[in-house]
Amino acid sequence: MKKHSPVSRSGRFAGGPAADVARFTESISFDWRLWRHDLLGSMAHATMLQKIGVLTRKECKAIVRGLDAIGKEIAAGRFKWNPALEDVHMNIEAELTRRVPAGAKLHTARSRNDQVALDIRLWLRDEIVALLSEIVDLQRSLVSLAEKNSDVLIPGYTHLQRAQPVYLAHHLLAYVEMLERDCERLWDCRSRVNVCPLGSGAIAGTTLPLKRELVAQLLGFVDASGKVQLTENSMDAVSDRDFAVEFSAAAALLAVHFSRLSEDVILWASAEFNYIRIADAYTTGSSLMPQKKNPDIAELARGKTGRVIGNLVSLLTLLKGLPMTYNRDLQEDKERLFDTVDTVRATTRLLAAMLRNTKVNGKACAAAAGDPALLATDLADYLVKRGMPFRQAHHVVGAVVALAEKSRKPLNRLTPAELRSVDKTFGRDAMNVFDLKQAMAKRNLPGAPGTKEVAKQLARWHKWLS
Ligand code: ARG
């Protein structure tokens, strides 16, 4: 064996790769992150190799101990990664074999092709669970902000124009709903991440009598009912990155939701809206304008969405022209996947913290929600209740709005006579429509922003998230 060439070149090659080739092809600079899962996979594989007689009990023990010791050194930052050994898999195996001779048997019936598929699946499975709990925490911070301001009304907007009054809580709970769908997608995606590819070898499995079920069981590749989850086709198993694409797609949609939430926060924090105040610690200043307090967390959350979407497109493009089965192109999956995970996890945490440190300006909200024009539709509903076809009612109220504008009066200051000058259907009680409290009490269909319904939804989320 040549001294400085990686094991993958031993025998067949006269020497190591050229320095620039090594630099171009290495992945240890980023895939070292998979070390913990690489070790776990190797321990399970070794345990199985012992069961089928490839390793003696003693050899297996030495390997597991050796791997454990390497893990402790990596965790402590004492392990020296060697770029000449290309990737995390060969770095760990080479060091193990240096320390434990039986390490040379560890790669029996295993290829880096099924090993790397295994490692990413194990790693991503953990990351999904961590991300899910962070999303739930963000949901809690939205619900808590809603609860603290449960009586605050704001205008709801369409086309960013004032439309109809809603509880702030209703607006915030809309994001809680979106995040819940994100959780469902991620959890569903996890079930396809949670499938064990080990035993597929480089492409075509092995002639050795491996116990794939045992490895899968040891690594927790089981479904909710405890059924072992194995890949069913060795070629698919080593070339499949669909699970990474699925995750990236779910993450991209999550990031889009963050971006929309951020946009609302940015608008609300502006002097023009003035609905919220973000605490100093969660805002940044301007290097030039001393008065500025900028909602940078929200802006970066919005901005980072671009790279998360970009990562998804990168992965799809990476896979698009690949012939079966493993191709080195697939090494390019990792940085995109890592970046997506890091970005959405950090963004989730920061948005939650920012919302926990945000106060609502009740006065500004009340002033905006008090705009009587927001209840113009209620006035049309009033006419409908008196038997007028809605299309006609829409037209009549349009004329009423025009009259109010012309006479420079808010809609709710028109006299009964003025209303009746537009249409005789208006009674003396028409102005009651503009009682905001009453108006909110009437919106109680399932999913509506009415007083009772919003309270019900808040209670439901509170219970679900506690
Ligand atoms: N570093 C490689 C990757 O991340 C591991 C698999 C390499 N396999 C191979 N036969 N060259 O994809």
Side-chain angles (χ1 to χ4, degrees):
M1 221 184 266
K2 287 262 169 351
K3 234 183 151 188
H4 293 295
S5 54
V7 286
S8 62
R9 301 173 70 90
S10 165
R12 171 77 174 77
F13 293 82
D20 53 352
V21 174
R23 256 198 311 279
F24 191 69
T25 54
E26 67 84 25
S27 56
I28 188 62
S29 55
F30 49 87
D31 70 9
W32 63 269
R33 283 183 69 158
L34 298 173
W35 67 268
R36 205 184 293 274
H37 301 92
D38 195 74
L39 290 174
L40 286 172
S42 288
M43 288 178 187
H45 187 61
T47 305
M48 184 274 294
L49 289 178
Q50 189 237 303
K51 278 269 177 332
I52 64 169
V54 171
L55 292 175
T56 65
R57 202 171 268 281
K58 229 173 122 191
E59 286 173 329
C60 178
K61 225 176 180 175
I63 286 175
V64 172
R65 273 214 196 115
L67 290 169
D68 192 54
I70 289 174
K72 288 204 171 90
E73 284 166 37
I74 299 172
R78 279 188 280 110
F79 190 83
K80 267 203 105 46
W81 299 107
N82 179 4
L85 291 168
E86 276 189 26
D87 57 26
V88 64
H89 324 293
M90 293 216 286
N91 263 268
I92 291 176
E93 191 197 320
E95 182 56 22
L96 174 74
T97 309
R98 204 182 61 76
R99 299 178 187 189
V100 180
K105 294 186 179 179
L106 181 61
H107 215 50
T108 309
R110 187 174 70 170
S111 155
R112 277 184 297 156
N113 298 354
D114 58 352
Q115 189 177 1
V116 71
L118 173 79
D119 290 7
I120 309 172
R121 284 172 182 273
L122 284 171
W123 176 83
L124 188 56
R125 195 177 68 180
D126 282 354
E127 291 293 331
I128 289 174
V129 171
L131 173 60
L132 280 169
S133 86
E134 285 158 352
I135 297 174
V136 169
D137 190 56
L138 175 56
Q139 286 180 306
R140 282 197 194 109
S141 70
L142 283 159
V143 170
S144 152
L145 187 62
E147 285 175 330
K148 273 189 236 151
N149 300 282
S150 59
D151 54 355
V152 171
L153 290 164
I154 56 170
Y157 297 79
T158 64
H159 313 266
L160 205 54
Q161 305 291 316
R162 285 181 181 178
Q164 294 186 308
V166 294
Y167 281 98
L168 173 71
H170 192 60
H171 192 134
L172 295 172
L173 288 182
Y175 286 106
V176 178
E177 296 282 348
M178 293 184 216
L179 295 175
E180 189 64 15
R181 292 195 295 273
D182 290 318
C183 286
E184 285 171 15
R185 261 185 295 274
L186 287 165
W187 189 249
D188 180 57
C189 157
R190 184 191 174 277
S191 67
R192 279 174 299 284
V193 173
N194 194 32
V195 184
C196 187
L198 215 61
S200 304
I203 165 170
T206 173
T207 56
L208 296 165
L210 300 193
K211 289 191 185 303
R212 292 194 65 200
E213 288 83 1
L214 172 63
V215 174
Q217 216 137 33
L218 288 172
L219 294 171
F221 286 108
V222 290
D223 69 6
S225 64
K227 188 169 171 287
V228 170
Q229 303 294 300
L230 295 180
T231 53
E232 305 273 4
N233 179 306
S234 65
M235 294 179 77
D236 179 39
V238 293
S239 65
D240 172 34
R241 293 295 182 273
D242 293 0
F243 63 90
V245 171
E246 271 191 61
F247 169 79
S248 304
L253 190 46
L254 173 66
V256 166
H257 293 158
F258 289 164
S259 191
R260 297 184 70 176
L261 169 61
S262 296
E263 177 61 16
D264 277 343
V265 165
I266 292 162
L267 285 172
W268 291 353
S270 70
E272 281 69 17
F273 278 77
N274 195 24
Y275 291 175
I276 57 170
R277 243 190 121 74
I278 307 169
D280 285 0
Y282 290 84
T283 56
T284 54
S286 156
S287 57
L288 189 134
M289 300 165 283
Q291 87 285 10
K292 288 295 287 292
K293 208 177 112 170
N294 299 327
D296 289 32
I297 294 176
E299 290 170 69
L300 280 168
R302 189 177 57 187
K304 283 175 190 293
T305 303
R307 62 201 263 182
V308 177
I309 294 170
N311 289 340
L312 168 64
V313 175
S314 292
L315 286 184
L316 287 167
T317 313
L318 179 65
L319 294 177
K320 153 178 190 301
L322 281 194
M324 291 291 266
T325 54
Y326 179 85
N327 296 271
R328 190 62 175 269
D329 314 46
L330 289 175
Q331 182 168 291
E332 288 288 310
D333 63 351
K334 274 164 231 56
E335 287 162 293
R336 305 281 56 86
L337 193 58
F338 292 165
D339 185 64
T340 288
V341 165
D342 292 343
T343 304
V344 292
R345 285 194 59 190
T347 308
T348 313
R349 289 195 298 269
L350 266 294
L351 285 177
M354 180 192 71
L355 290 172
R356 289 211 163 86
N357 287 278
T358 293
K359 285 208 159 42
V360 172
N361 181 355
K363 266 202 186 128
C365 293
D371 178 354
L374 292 167
L375 294 171
T377 314
D378 292 43
L379 195 59
D381 289 348
Y382 166 90
L383 294 174
V384 167
K385 280 180 206 149
R386 297 194 147 214
M388 190 183 284
F390 180 75
R391 274 289 148 241
Q392 193 187 336
H394 184 278
H395 176 83
V396 167
V397 175
V400 169
V401 170
L403 173 66
E405 244 170 47
K406 211 172 108 202
S407 34
R408 295 171 192 280
K409 280 185 182 178
L411 203 51
N412 59 343
R413 289 284 149 76
L414 291 173
T415 63
E418 282 170 317
L419 283 180
R420 290 175 69 83
S421 76
V422 179
D423 195 286
K424 293 272 177 285
T425 318
F426 286 113
R428 299 211 132 266
D429 58 348
M431 281 298 147
N432 294 347
V433 155
F434 293 103
D435 181 327
L436 192 52
K437 219 174 148 184
Q438 285 294 318
M440 295 317 289
K442 282 183 200 148
R443 293 158 152 76
N444 277 317
L445 293 181
T451 312
K452 268 207 187 121
E453 182 62 15
V454 172
K456 203 170 104 187
Q457 291 290 338
L458 264 182
R460 177 174 75 86
W461 279 114
H462 187 105
K463 201 168 152 209
W464 176 248
L465 296 170
S466 60

